[in-house]
Amino acid sequence: MLKYNVRGENIEVTPAIREYVEAKVGKIERYFDDMPEAQAHVNLKIYSDKTGKAEVTIPLPNIVLRAEETSPDLYGSIDLVSDKLERQIRKYKTKVNRKFRRQKADIKEGVSPDLLRATSSDQDEKEEEELRIVRKKRFNLKPMNEEEAVLQMEMIGHDFFIYLDGETAGTNIVYKRDDGDYGLIETDDIEL
């Protein structure tokens, strides 16, 4: 079951807008047999030229769904975001189901578990080839604060910059947003 946190910038979120958002974004629930409890974060914004922007982020247990769209009409932006979220879920579920069916078929044919792992990893490599990495870089993270990281990012002309936070020793990312401002992603350490 989705719970909605709908915020508006330069617009009052009326009950009609809230209901429209819940109806459109709520369509994704039909893709789940048992929809997990999740919070849908929805940001709506109206710009000075009257264009509307909708941003939706839904953190789920195995995937984070995120989409944003801008159009001449706020309701149109909500429609576009809803369509984009549905495409993301269909793509994810197709990939998961394909992998599950492949493993199930191999087990029925009496393939040994070792061969199954090898075959599965070969097929995974083929799928990963579709998402080609064409360049790799390696660099040392230097301790700094977020302002220094933004300056470094601007100096190298990239849209993002990864750095080691001097105070928390955590790995953080600063990035340039579409609206010209900057964003900060702070990471949490997890135990494996």
Side-chain angles (χ1 to χ4, degrees):
M1 179 86 186
L2 283 175
K3 295 180 182 176
Y4 295 87
N5 177 10
V6 183
R7 293 184 1 187
E9 292 181 41
N10 302 329
I11 184 174
E12 179 185 344
V13 179
T14 64
I17 292 173
R18 176 178 282 282
E19 287 174 18
Y20 193 79
V21 165
E22 290 178 8
K24 285 297 191 170
V25 175
K27 285 183 182 180
I28 68 166
E29 291 187 37
R30 70 178 179 216
Y31 291 97
F32 297 92
D33 294 332
D34 185 24
M35 180 68 183
E37 289 268 327
Q39 184 81 23
H41 303 281
V42 182
N43 292 328
L44 306 172
K45 186 173 186 177
I46 299 291
Y47 293 105
S48 58
D49 63 356
K50 304 297 181 203
T51 58
K53 180 178 184 178
E55 298 176 16
V56 178
T57 305
I58 305 171
L60 295 172
N62 296 322
I63 185 174
V64 174
L65 300 171
R66 185 173 188 318
E68 66 179 62
E69 286 291 339
T70 304
S71 75
D73 174 35
L74 180 63
Y75 287 94
S77 297
I78 295 168
D79 291 342
L80 292 170
V81 161
S82 173
D83 294 343
K84 193 180 264 190
L85 290 170
E86 284 191 65
R87 281 193 306 273
Q88 288 176 7
I89 287 181
R90 281 196 306 266
K91 182 178 179 182
Y92 175 74
K93 288 193 77 104
T94 300
K95 196 173 202 177
V96 167
N97 288 336
R98 186 181 307 137
K99 189 173 186 177
F100 177 74
R101 282 193 310 267
R102 198 173 29 226
Q103 288 176 345
K104 193 173 177 181
D106 288 342
I107 290 171
K108 280 185 180 177
E109 293 173 9
V111 177
S112 75
D114 293 334
L115 183 58
L116 177 60
R117 279 192 287 275
T119 305
S120 178
S121 65
D122 290 344
Q123 288 169 344
D124 290 345
E125 286 176 19
K126 287 178 185 172
E127 283 182 13
E128 287 177 12
E129 285 176 10
E130 294 172 11
L131 304 172
R132 291 185 356 188
I133 295 175
V134 296
R135 186 174 184 191
K136 289 186 180 183
K137 288 186 176 182
R138 185 178 222 44
F139 62 96
N140 294 325
L141 297 179
K142 295 186 170 67
M144 59 182 73
N145 62 29
E146 59 196 50
E147 291 85 13
E148 201 175 337
V150 169
L151 290 173
Q152 290 287 330
M153 177 182 68
E154 290 295 330
M155 284 181 13
I156 61 174
H158 286 186
D159 293 332
F160 69 95
F161 187 79
I162 303 170
Y163 69 99
L164 192 64
D165 187 283
E167 291 179 21
T168 65
T171 305
N172 292 348
I173 303 164
V174 291
Y175 62 95
K176 190 162 194 154
R177 296 172 42 92
D178 290 338
D179 61 8
D181 289 332
Y182 299 98
L184 172 66
I185 300 173
E186 298 176 314
T187 60
D188 291 329
D189 291 332
I190 60 170
E191 290 184 29
L192 299 176

